[in-house]
Amino acid sequence: MYHLNSFMSDLERKNPAQPEFIQAVQEVIESVLDVVNENPAYLGTRILERITEPDRIITFKVEWEDDNGGVQVNRGYRVQYNNALGPYKGGLRFHPSVTLGTLKFLGFEQIFKNSLTTLPMGGAKGGSDFNPKGKSDNEIMRFCKAFMTELNRYIGPEIDVPAGDIGVGAREIGFLYGQYKKLRIEHTGVLTGKGRSWGGSLIRPEATGFGAIYFAREMAAHANDKLEGKRIAVSGFGNVAWGVVMKASELGAKVVTISGPDGYIYDEKGINTQKKWDYMLKLRSSNNDVVEPYAKEFGAKFYPGRKPWEVAVDMAFPSAIQNELNLDDAKKLISNGVKYIVETSNMGCTSDAIEYIQRSKVPFAPGKAVNAGGVAVSGLEMSQNAMKLSWTSEEVDEKLNRIMTEIHNACVKEGSDGSRVDYIKGANIAGFKKVADAMLELGY
Ligand code: 2IT
């Protein structure tokens, strides 16, 4: 028998000073504990110890030259967590907050997320403490090339397929792929999120946000409600937030906020025109990490140093970074009548916020289900690369829509008690069972 407290205290002893990793594991273990304890095949094979230990962790030094001719040193990582279902797969994050503990939490989450997509992908994550803020294009390029000079030894289209995450978009994937191609002399599907003319998939940039909205549409439908007409708060202003605002508008909902490290924008009229969406991309590509200029450009309000969760809305989509929505934020949203909280960032809510939301009975869906559309379309990019052909936007979007609906149904199947759906439990159990069963079939 596994006991939550003793398992978690062993894990903490083995992984000191990695609070995000402990938080991510605890959430999964709480969900799957009964399933594991009731299954002798899981119990007899130490499945929880095996699934929480990464297959391997690679760390490397990244040396690069800044525009003043100075030498800069960063740390690079790749956590190859679990490849029971397919090649290691997961994004690269370039952000000053990145530590090994961050990437272990993200890699662990990725295992179950990728399992939920129904596509053959294992779980991994990587990145660096490199801070893109304020860097020139040339500095970004030199950093990416130095990073790939090390990373290329450990990846390959059948081994490990990285992609983007915070701080790694189309431009960075281009520089990384360019260096891989120089070093290995092969044009292959080793990264996803590639440019359209050199192997990328249509809809990959939009996929995470589109998928989150498809998932929210299913949540609303399951509650005999509809997405249409809903007022939505979104945090962040990157790739994910961009996809969310576009698909929300298309399906008749209205997004009224976006945010950055500098504060949030409240746009009463809705962030619902091509000009506004293009402007979000422009803000992102400036490398300054601020949203304030949007207010002037479109006559919206800017609230410096604050988060969008104080605005009265029907749906909230945290779409920036882990633990961005805390207990106080959850209380504000709920007292203002929020009807759904759709976690779109990875582990976007703190544990006490989630506990409060669950007790309040406001439907809450976890990031690993909601944001799985991103990696799902990465999986579709891998298929297209392997077949050496490319699907139309409609074909990819249709597959994404179907996958998100299936993920929602899997959450309901494993998480419903007949009256209420516990999406956390549903997502964790559905994701876990497939990986655990594959691990048993593969032996150790
Ligand atoms: O968190 C994520 O799922 C991603 N950053 C995307 C990973 C991928 O391989 O497309």
Side-chain angles (χ1 to χ4, degrees):
M1 277 283 273
Y2 280 108
H3 298 280
L4 181 67
N5 290 345
S6 61
F7 183 83
M8 288 310 300
S9 58
D10 275 355
L11 192 85
E12 281 193 63
R13 190 177 40 73
K14 270 196 280 188
N15 300 278
Q18 297 183 342
E20 293 162 332
F21 174 63
I22 301 300
Q23 182 187 342
V25 174
Q26 169 129 5
E27 187 211 277
V28 172
I29 303 292
E30 280 174 0
S31 296
V32 304
L33 199 66
D34 288 348
V35 171
V36 172
N37 280 336
E38 284 158 18
N39 185 333
Y42 292 157
L43 270 184
T45 53
R46 293 197 171 256
I47 197 70
L48 292 186
E49 286 85 346
R50 289 166 62 204
I51 213 164
T52 51
E53 186 69 20
D55 289 352
R56 69 193 61 76
I57 295 174
I58 299 140
T59 76
F60 46 88
K61 179 173 65 171
V62 186
E63 299 173 327
W64 56 282
E65 191 186 319
D66 64 30
D67 286 346
N68 301 319
V71 179
Q72 299 281 339
V73 184
N74 286 98
R75 189 174 295 167
Y77 306 87
R78 187 72 179 164
V79 179
Q80 296 181 332
Y81 221 113
N82 186 303
N83 66 352
L85 300 183
Y88 299 108
K89 180 83 196 89
L92 297 171
R93 175 175 294 190
F94 293 168
H95 193 269
S97 67
V98 164
T99 62
L100 179 57
T102 316
L103 297 175
K104 279 173 65 185
F105 118 63
L106 289 163
F108 183 71
E109 291 272 294
Q110 199 80 40
I111 305 171
F112 308 104
K113 181 196 309 194
N114 293 3
S115 163
L116 285 171
T117 66
T118 70
L119 303 174
M121 299 181 287
K125 202 84 187 191
S128 174
D129 58 356
F130 172 73
N131 186 1
K133 186 171 171 172
K135 301 289 191 300
S136 71
D137 269 11
N138 277 328
E139 288 176 324
I140 303 256
M141 180 175 76
R142 285 195 295 273
F143 175 80
C144 288
K145 300 221 155 204
F147 184 90
M148 184 53 84
T149 302
E150 290 297 322
L151 183 68
N152 91 88
R153 301 179 173 100
Y154 312 107
I155 62 177
E158 308 295 343
I159 301 171
D160 182 354
V161 183
D165 193 80
I166 295 171
V168 179
R171 173 184 53 181
E172 290 74 20
I173 293 291
F175 298 147
L176 291 163
Y177 190 64
Q179 185 69 356
Y180 183 89
K181 204 159 61 63
K182 280 201 173 86
L183 293 164
R184 302 280 283 260
I185 331 183
E186 53 180 49
H187 209 303
T188 173
V190 72
L191 294 174
T192 58
K194 297 188 290 299
R196 196 44 208 139
S197 59
W198 36 277
S201 174
L202 287 164
I203 308 289
R204 177 63 190 88
E206 298 88 346
T208 312
F210 280 18
I213 289 288
Y214 292 146
F215 195 94
R217 179 199 60 203
E218 294 303 307
M219 284 176 85
H222 192 77
N224 292 318
D225 190 3
K226 55 186 193 328
L227 180 76
E228 204 185 338
K230 293 281 182 291
R231 241 169 83 91
I232 296 179
V234 169
S235 64
F237 68 109
N239 177 252
V240 176
W242 173 74
V244 170
V245 298
M246 290 193 294
K247 190 52 91 177
S249 304
E250 191 191 319
L251 300 188
K254 182 157 115 175
V255 178
V256 292
T257 70
I258 49 171
S259 73
D262 57 332
Y264 80 90
I265 295 288
Y266 177 63
D267 187 345
E268 173 83 75
K269 295 192 285 287
I271 304 169
N272 50 12
T273 63
Q274 188 70 45
K275 245 175 115 179
K276 290 177 178 179
W277 306 332
D278 290 346
Y279 194 78
M280 284 175 76
L281 295 181
K282 204 173 119 191
L283 280 177
R284 170 57 61 196
S285 64
S286 74
N287 283 355
N288 291 327
D289 225 13
V290 290
V291 286
E292 185 177 3
Y294 180 104
K296 226 186 237 127
E297 186 75 18
F298 297 106
K301 290 204 182 96
F302 174 65
Y303 294 92
R306 300 186 24 187
K307 298 193 273 183
W309 316 128
E310 60 193 29
V311 177
V313 289
D314 304 307
M315 291 183 156
F317 284 69
S319 311
I321 199 164
Q322 67 270 12
N323 292 327
E324 56 171 309
L325 196 158
N326 63 28
L327 179 60
D328 281 348
D329 301 323
K331 285 181 175 166
K332 279 184 210 152
L333 280 169
I334 290 170
S335 71
N336 282 329
V338 77
K339 296 190 182 74
Y340 305 88
I341 299 178
V342 190
E343 187 186 61
T344 308
S345 38
N346 291 308
M347 207 168 76
C349 300
T350 59
S351 310
D352 52 359
I354 290 178
E355 217 174 287
Y356 183 83
I357 297 164
Q358 297 278 65
R359 255 189 289 127
S360 75
K361 306 259 190 294
V362 168
F364 171 87
K368 64 167 76 68
V370 172
N371 72 30
V375 73
V377 174
S378 278
L380 301 177
E381 182 170 330
M382 290 164 74
S383 306
Q384 293 169 81
N385 291 163
M387 294 189 290
K388 305 210 183 299
L389 53 76
S390 86
W391 291 322
T392 64
S393 317
E394 290 74 24
E395 283 173 295
V396 179
D397 199 15
E398 197 272 321
K399 289 184 198 326
L400 170 64
N401 197 346
R402 185 170 40 77
I403 289 171
M404 295 313 298
T405 306
E406 279 174 25
I407 296 175
H408 179 269
N409 294 344
C411 292
V412 173
K413 178 165 177 265
E414 299 287 359
S416 175
D417 64 5
S419 62
R420 194 177 154 268
V421 183
D422 182 338
Y423 284 93
I424 298 183
K425 210 169 154 192
N428 285 332
I429 294 177
F432 174 86
K433 274 188 181 168
K434 199 158 92 168
V435 180
D437 291 346
M439 288 171 73
L440 296 190
E441 287 163 23
L442 295 166
Y444 50 85

